[in-house]
Amino acid sequence: DAMVIQNPRYQVTQFGKPVTLSCSQTLNHNVMYWYQQKSSQAPKLLFHYYDKDFNNEADTPDNFQSRRPNTSFCFLDIRSPGLGDAAMYLCATSRDLATGGYEQYFGPGTRLTVT
Amino acid sequence: LAKTTQPISMDSYEGQEVNITCSHNNIATNDYITWYQQFPSQGPRFIIQGYKTKVTNEVASLFIPADRKSSTLSLPRVSLSDTAVYYCLVVDSGGYQKVTFGTGTKLQVIP
């Protein structure tokens, strides 16, 4: 089945040690998103790619970076994780709205623990 | 982006119809309304979307009045497995889905 896959599902990293989370999709969608969701809170958009165009949310810390080497893959890099970065990180995809893409397809998420 | 306001939580007994209302007073002409369901430790799942009037699919109905300043998600005959957080989102139709998740409504279905 076509889907959004996130690896790993659980990631433990040390304070200040760079970490990379990955997302892949088989839907061939041109838009990919990264969200951060802390416990008991709503998902918060960090940034998204529209094809190769990167769009950063204004309040996303510089500590968070992203790469999209091709349509299928997108990576979230946290350069120096702090304790406050512990959260569930959700990847999502969609078609653009011009082709009727009103639905975002979410992956299962990666739960990041910072020790 | 239009801000959305929903009740923080709702309880319902199994078998009842549940209506969750969302307020989006600043919705723009080209914006669409979508609803998502999220279970613990899972990504949100799309339920339904609409622009105006009524939309129905196999799991829910969405009612949107003419002024579009609110919308109501209706879940018929809920079961325990419908216990989840439900998010109302307004989708900016400007090319991609720049959305802001509101607080969501935590629905607890009681046996």
Side-chain angles (χ1 to χ4, degrees), chain A residues 30-31 50 94-103, chain B residues 32 91-98:
Chain A
N30 56 334
V31 191
Y50 191 107
S94 73
R95 293 177 290 153
D96 62 57
L97 289 166
T99 58
Y102 302 110
E103 176 178 353
Chain B
Y32 282 75
V91 180
D92 182 344
S93 61
Y96 66 91
Q97 289 194 30
K98 181 176 174 65

Side-chain angles (χ1 to χ4, degrees), chain B residues 7 20 28 33 36 40 52 57 62 66 69 71 75 91 94 103 107 109:
Chain B
I20 305 174
I33 298 149
Y36 285 78
K52 60 182 178 181
N57 62 22
L62 179 59
K69 293 183 183 298
S71 59
L75 303 173
V91 180
T103 54
L107 172 66
V109 179

Side-chain angles (χ1 to χ4, degrees), chain A residues 11-21 63-64 76-83 85 112-115:
Chain A
Q11 176 74 56
V12 180
T13 190
Q14 293 178 332
F15 182 94
K17 185 175 182 180
V19 65
T20 295
L21 309 181
N63 198 26
F64 292 85
L76 170 61
D77 300 310
I78 308 176
R79 292 191 299 185
S80 182
L83 297 179
D85 296 327
L112 178 68
T113 300
V114 181
T115 62

Side-chain angles (χ1 to χ4, degrees), chain A residues 32-74:
Chain A
M32 294 187 77
Y33 311 77
W34 279 105
Y35 291 86
Q36 178 193 62
Q37 186 173 28
K38 295 187 177 180
S39 182
S40 300
Q41 295 184 20
K44 178 181 180 295
L45 182 63
L46 294 173
F47 26 60
H48 76 276
Y49 276 92
Y50 191 107
D51 293 322
K52 293 184 177 181
D53 293 334
F54 176 71
N55 297 271
N56 199 29
E57 293 301 298
D59 57 354
T60 298
D62 293 339
N63 198 26
F64 292 85
Q65 307 281 315
S66 185
R67 295 170 284 135
R68 188 180 186 185
N70 53 52
T71 301
S72 301
F73 286 88
C74 196

